[in-house]
Amino acid sequence: MKYVLVTGGVVSGLGKGVTASSIGLLLKACGLRVTAIKIDPYLNTDAGTMSPIEHGEVYVLDDGGEVDLDLGNYERFMDVKLTRDNNITTGKIYQSVIDKERRGDYLGKTVQVVPHITDAIQDWIERVAHIPVDGKEGPADVCVIELGGTIGDIESMPFIQALGHFSYRVGATNFCLVHVSLVPVLNVVGEQKTKPTQHSVRGLRSQGLTPQILACRSTMALDENAKTKLSQFCLLPGENIITLYDVPNIWHIPLLLRDQKAHEAIFKVLNLTGMTQEPNLEEWTCRAESSDLLHEPVRIALVGKYTCLSDSYLSVLKALIHAAVSCQKKLVVDWISATNLENSTAKENPDVYKAAWKLLKGADGILVPGGFGDRGVQGKIIAAKYARENKIPYLGICLGMQVAVIEYARSMLGLKDANSTEFDPNTKNPCVIFMPEGSKTHMGGTMRLGSRRTYFQTKLCKSAKLYGCKSFIDERHRHRYEVNPDLVTSLENSGLSFTGKDETGQRMEIVEIPNHPYFIGVQFHPEFKSRPGKASPVFLGFIAATCGQLEAVLQHSSRGVSSDMSSVKTYQNGSATKPQAFRPEYVYGNGNGNGFHY
């Protein structure tokens, strides 16, 4: 087994996750089987109880693991299915060591950070690296490990110590360290400054790790002067210094690595020279280049609770991108804080209220994602009502489905106080209730998590057609409240259709309004399984409905063909046009013209 470690220095947020994902994709394109591990040095056992505003979205795996969002990048770039053990945290390591100590596994020894914690880290890495994640038997050829945080963080020190030991444990030809560091450009003089990277590499070496490759983040390609300085002071050959400069979208990053021969530098360190093929990235190149040509916008209003940080909805954004480019549209997302749609905001801040409503009314489609807590719920209900009454395509995910049901019960059944017991425990008309098996005392890992099966009640509905008229589907879940089964009959008699249910028939998984252009709510999170070449079906249907392509998509999908629309004629402005050969990912619009977001 070969290991590639990706670390970061100077500042956080440089894009270690995208860099690690791109390295994995590049190695896979060279014919190698690849897996990935993310190390998060925080004390939390997992990401499940962390606020999206502080840490970004909680990504959910098939096995129910609540993990760091970078594992979503790995799955999307490398097209693999990871496990909860592919995300290592300080909490997990210490918990495992303490459990061993309580069992007496250490035979009376004093338990210390070195060697017990560091050995546990190394054992965990080696064990998980050998778990196949690509659907094939046997271990992968290369494991890409990303160490979260930056060099010098207190919480990272045990991991750096362990990884230093690990490099000796597996041998020099089986371990390659790629260090991602910032090379800022001062506006005053316009010169690239290498000193921060020099200090970062020095700090890394002082802790027992020596980088073989430098990946330098900068606004522009490194000039020869800067490269020479880094080579001299960081003791690295020039060909091992890579520039990751700003590009229109992240699809270009693997191409930057390829064009600068990063794979050859890695193979030289790992003694794989001559044992692999040249990277086959033709499809990826076409995606990256053609994505920059998309210009016809599709405007989506995302009505959420955590809109101040886009990473809170990272997988939702990626799924929207995958669907938008399948319809040959440039995605523009209008972020709307749900509270700004409420009457209380109209009184307190009328300008903000008017601006939010202007965005909502100007959208081609409305999406309400998941969330927890009662803040902004009324705004989400208002958005669902507006979409229903004005025939605007609507997609509700998890809580977005639940608020759609609550709104329908209030408006169509006349249950004015209909609500979720999450927001009003004493409501007389509970539309959404706490799951019987859930825990109200422990928050972490007590939800309905991971891949669960949904059975279609009819193959004539939009959602079933989008999924290829299958009898059932498997999607990832993360929720502790569900639609009250006692109200289902009344809701269906009034025109709401629960087209997807679990194996018991008591849990509502998909809801639709049949006589609406596109109004679908799903209890699961389809965004977690969306991929660049295969958009999530309900996201694809949602975007297609906003731009007049839904019928073509439904016909295509109902024949059991992949949701990739590369072989289908799409209809724009009433005329058929031939789609591009490959479907690129496109950077989401955010109103400020920014293109490349690590």
Side-chain angles (χ1 to χ4, degrees):
M1 173 69 71
K2 307 288 186 178
Y3 298 89
V4 176
L5 172 63
V6 179
T7 61
V10 185
V11 295
S12 60
L14 289 178
K16 295 188 303 298
V18 173
T19 302
S21 302
S22 299
I23 289 172
L25 172 66
L26 183 60
L27 298 182
K28 187 175 180 180
C30 292
L32 297 172
R33 292 177 61 198
V34 183
T35 185
I37 293 174
K38 172 66 188 296
I39 296 174
D40 284 303
Y42 48 68
L43 282 170
N44 305 62
T45 300
D46 57 36
T49 60
M50 300 173 71
S51 168
I53 295 176
E54 179 177 325
H55 191 68
E57 75 170 1
V58 177
Y59 190 79
V60 179
L61 302 169
D62 267 3
D63 65 1
E66 297 173 282
V67 296
D68 184 81
L69 58 81
D70 278 319
L71 276 80
N73 286 325
Y74 304 159
E75 287 201 338
R76 285 186 289 268
F77 270 65
M78 304 180 206
D79 194 22
V80 294
K81 288 185 179 180
L82 302 173
T83 71
R84 67 178 73 227
D85 285 347
N86 288 84
N87 191 193
I88 303 175
T89 69
T90 297
K92 286 181 179 179
I93 294 296
Y94 274 77
Q95 191 173 62
S96 68
V97 170
I98 291 171
D99 288 344
K100 287 182 179 180
E101 185 272 331
R102 292 290 85 187
R103 290 196 305 265
D105 291 2
Y106 296 117
L107 302 176
K109 292 182 179 179
T110 301
V111 180
Q112 299 174 292
V113 172
V114 181
H116 300 101
I117 295 296
T118 53
D119 283 352
I121 293 168
Q122 295 176 71
D123 293 343
W124 191 301
I125 292 172
E126 201 159 33
R127 172 177 61 84
V128 173
H130 286 78
I131 299 174
V133 295
D134 56 2
K136 302 176 183 178
E137 294 184 358
D141 301 307
V142 180
C143 177
V144 179
I145 306 167
E146 178 192 347
L147 176 61
T150 56
I151 298 305
D153 294 344
I154 293 174
E155 57 266 28
S156 298
M157 290 182 178
F159 291 98
I160 294 173
Q161 184 76 20
L163 290 164
H165 293 170
F166 191 69
S167 66
Y168 289 103
R169 177 170 170 171
V170 299
T173 58
N174 294 320
F175 189 89
C176 177
L177 198 164
V178 180
H179 187 57
V180 183
S181 183
L182 178 67
V183 178
V185 179
L186 298 185
N187 292 332
V188 178
V189 293
E191 180 185 0
Q192 292 175 322
K193 293 297 183 179
T194 64
K195 194 65 70 177
T197 294
Q198 293 178 40
H199 285 303
S200 182
V201 170
R202 188 177 298 117
L204 191 62
R205 282 203 171 97
S206 70
Q207 297 184 56
L209 285 174
T210 301
Q212 283 90 18
I213 297 172
L214 272 182
C216 299
R217 279 287 289 121
S218 188
T219 55
M220 61 188 74
L222 285 183
D223 57 41
E224 285 304 315
N225 183 49
K227 209 166 187 177
T228 300
K229 279 186 177 180
L230 288 172
S231 178
Q232 290 175 341
F233 289 100
C234 296
L235 306 178
L236 287 171
E239 59 268 23
N240 285 23
I241 300 174
I242 310 298
T243 313
L244 299 180
Y245 53 85
D246 290 355
V247 290
N249 65 79
I250 62 174
W251 290 73
H252 289 277
I253 303 304
L255 306 181
L256 288 182
L257 293 171
R258 178 202 63 187
D259 294 344
Q260 296 174 74
K261 307 295 183 182
H263 55 292
E264 293 183 4
I266 293 172
F267 293 156
K268 188 174 181 180
V269 175
L270 298 178
N271 197 27
L272 289 173
T273 303
M275 300 173 64
T276 58
Q277 64 189 36
E278 280 297 304
N280 180 9
L281 288 172
E282 290 184 13
E283 181 176 341
W284 194 274
T285 302
C286 191
R287 282 186 180 131
E289 293 175 351
S290 59
S291 67
D292 299 333
L293 303 177
L294 297 175
H295 61 277
E296 189 172 342
V298 56
R299 188 170 292 276
I300 302 300
L302 194 152
V303 183
K305 179 179 178 180
Y306 316 113
T307 53
C308 59
L309 179 67
S310 62
D311 274 0
S312 299
Y313 302 109
L314 183 62
S315 290
V316 171
L317 285 168
K318 296 301 181 184
L320 285 171
I321 290 167
H322 301 159
V325 297
S326 288
C327 298
Q328 293 187 288
K329 302 293 182 182
K330 175 182 177 180
L331 178 68
V332 179
V333 175
D334 290 322
W335 301 89
I336 302 177
S337 178
T339 56
N340 292 344
L341 298 172
E342 298 172 0
N343 292 332
S344 58
T345 302
K347 298 175 182 178
E348 297 169 3
N349 198 333
D351 290 340
V352 170
Y353 177 80
K354 290 178 183 178
W357 271 100
K358 183 178 180 181
L359 289 176
L360 189 72
K361 291 179 178 180
D364 300 313
I366 297 172
L367 188 150
V368 177
F372 298 92
D374 60 356
R375 181 172 64 85
V377 167
Q378 293 308 312
K380 294 181 179 183
I381 291 173
I382 289 169
K385 182 177 183 178
Y386 179 82
R388 179 181 62 80
E389 292 182 340
N390 293 277
K391 305 294 185 180
I392 306 297
Y394 176 87
L395 176 60
I397 300 171
C398 199
L399 179 59
M401 168 186 164
Q402 295 172 7
V403 298
V405 173
I406 293 170
E407 189 282 318
Y408 199 91
R410 290 179 180 180
S411 299
M412 307 306 290
L413 294 182
L415 304 176
K416 300 302 181 184
D417 65 339
N419 213 330
S420 167
T421 56
E422 179 181 5
F423 315 128
D424 182 5
N426 300 316
T427 178
K428 295 180 180 179
N429 290 290
C431 282
V432 179
I433 59 174
F434 192 77
M435 293 189 304
E437 70 272 33
S439 171
K440 292 188 177 182
T441 58
H442 289 72
M443 302 299 289
T446 59
M447 289 182 277
R448 189 165 183 250
L449 291 165
S451 182
R452 305 296 178 105
R453 187 153 289 181
T454 295
Y455 292 86
F456 289 107
Q457 306 303 297
T458 172
K459 292 187 179 181
L460 300 178
C461 61
K462 291 186 182 72
S463 56
K465 290 178 181 178
L466 288 169
Y467 278 97
C469 293
K470 298 176 181 177
S471 299
F472 60 85
I473 55 172
D474 295 314
E475 291 280 10
R476 299 176 184 180
H477 291 66
R478 185 176 186 253
H479 64 104
R480 54 169 52 91
Y481 288 83
E482 60 188 7
V483 174
N484 186 352
D486 294 340
L487 277 180
V488 168
T489 301
S490 298
L491 289 165
E492 289 194 316
N493 289 340
S494 65
L496 203 60
S497 181
F498 290 96
T499 56
K501 301 180 181 180
D502 77 338
E503 66 278 3
T504 69
Q506 296 299 302
R507 284 191 164 127
M508 305 302 114
E509 295 281 4
I510 306 175
V511 63
E512 299 185 35
I513 298 179
N515 60 354
H516 192 283
Y518 192 91
F519 195 102
I520 293 180
V522 293
Q523 185 60 73
F524 47 80
H525 288 266
E527 67 269 23
F528 292 143
K529 294 182 72 171
S530 185
R531 298 289 180 266
K534 189 177 181 182
S536 164
V538 290
F539 275 88
L540 179 62
F542 173 58
I543 295 296
T546 66
C547 52
Q549 300 180 25
L550 181 58
E551 196 56 42
V553 170
L554 289 175
Q555 291 178 7
H556 182 58
S557 300
S558 62
R559 293 198 300 267
V561 186
S562 166
S563 61
D564 181 11
M565 295 291 288
S566 59
S567 61
V568 173
K569 287 184 178 181
T570 58
Y571 294 84
Q572 301 177 18
N573 302 322
S575 61
T577 59
K578 185 178 179 181
Q580 300 163 5
F582 301 107
R583 297 300 171 193
E585 178 179 34
Y586 199 81
V587 173
Y588 59 89
N590 59 2
N592 61 13
N594 287 344
F596 170 42
H597 292 273
Y598 253 136

